[in-house]
Amino acid sequence: MSTTQSDRLRGLLEPLVSAMDLDLEEIEVSRAGRRRVLRIVVDSDEGVELDACAELSRVISQKLDETDAMGDEEYVLEVSSPGADRPLTEHRHYVRATGRLARFQLQAGEELVARILTVDDEGIDLEVPGVKGRRPTARRIEFPEIAKARVEIEFNRKDKKEEEA
C-alpha cells in the first residue's frame, strides 16, 4: 500500500476508532485474487470484544462507502484485534502485556523469555524463570536494548480474575 493511501486511510479512520476508545494499531491493504483486502487491527487497554470489532466494521464500511479512499475496485474489510502472541512495538504494548510472558531478542544477539513485571518510560523490569529448579531472577532491560519482542502464549496461565478470587 502506498504511503499516501496509508496516510489517507489512517487520517480517515483514526477518529472513528478513537471515538470507540480503541487504538488503531495497523492498516494493511493486500491482494487476494481479484479483490483487495483492507485489514484494520485495533486494540485497547482492556482488550477488544468481538461486538466492538463488528460495530467498528459497520462504522468504517459506511465511512469508506461515503468516500473514494478505496477507489472503485472491490475489497474485503477485516477488523480485528492483534491476537494473543502479538509483537510488542510500542510502549503501550508493553504496559498491556504486564504480567505476561514474552520472548525478547536483544540487540546484543541474546534471546530471553521472561515475565513482564513493570514498565516505565525507559524500560521494563522482568522476572526470568529459574532453570532446573532454581529460583527466578529479576532483570532490567532498557527499550533501546530490545530488537524484537513478542508475547508468548501460555495455556496454563492464571487469569487476573482467577488470582483475585
Side-chain angles (χ1 to χ4, degrees):
M1 171 171 58
S2 73
T3 304
T4 307
Q5 185 183 25
S6 176
D7 292 343
R8 186 170 179 207
L9 284 170
R10 184 167 287 279
L12 184 68
L13 303 179
E14 199 141 33
L16 303 174
V17 174
S18 295
M20 293 185 69
D21 293 324
L22 298 171
D23 296 318
L24 180 57
E25 295 290 343
E26 185 179 328
I27 296 175
E28 177 189 342
V29 177
S30 61
R31 284 247 168 239
R34 284 191 253 152
R35 290 189 214 168
R36 292 175 298 159
V37 177
L38 172 58
R39 285 186 186 87
I40 299 173
V41 179
V42 296
D43 201 5
S44 79
D45 290 343
E46 294 79 37
V48 181
E49 299 283 328
L50 186 58
D51 289 343
C53 285
E55 176 61 25
L56 183 59
S57 181
R58 282 189 287 277
V59 170
I60 288 173
S61 180
Q62 182 178 355
K63 186 63 150 182
L64 291 173
D65 288 347
E66 294 170 1
T67 68
D68 66 342
M70 289 299 293
D72 294 332
E73 275 186 81
E74 286 186 35
Y75 67 93
V76 175
L77 173 62
E78 295 178 4
V79 177
S80 65
S81 65
D85 62 344
R86 67 159 319 134
L88 305 173
T89 57
E90 304 281 336
H91 184 270
R92 69 177 177 265
H93 298 163
Y94 290 95
V95 172
R96 290 175 185 160
T98 299
R100 304 282 309 268
L101 201 61
R103 179 174 302 275
F104 299 90
Q105 287 183 327
L106 303 181
Q107 297 289 357
E110 180 185 359
E111 187 168 285
L112 173 69
V113 176
R115 189 163 311 280
I116 299 173
L117 298 177
T118 60
V119 180
D120 59 35
D121 291 340
E122 287 79 40
I124 54 180
D125 292 311
L126 304 171
E127 179 184 73
V128 181
V131 180
K132 296 184 181 178
R134 292 187 181 171
R135 303 188 117 198
T137 57
R139 181 158 177 189
R140 170 93 179 157
I141 297 178
E142 304 296 321
F143 287 118
E145 296 176 61
I146 302 170
K148 290 182 184 178
R150 179 177 294 277
V151 170
E152 288 283 290
I153 297 175
E154 295 179 81
F155 292 105
N156 60 352
R157 177 177 175 252
K158 287 187 178 180
D159 194 342
K160 288 179 185 177
K161 292 175 188 169
E162 288 178 31
E163 291 175 1
E164 292 170 0

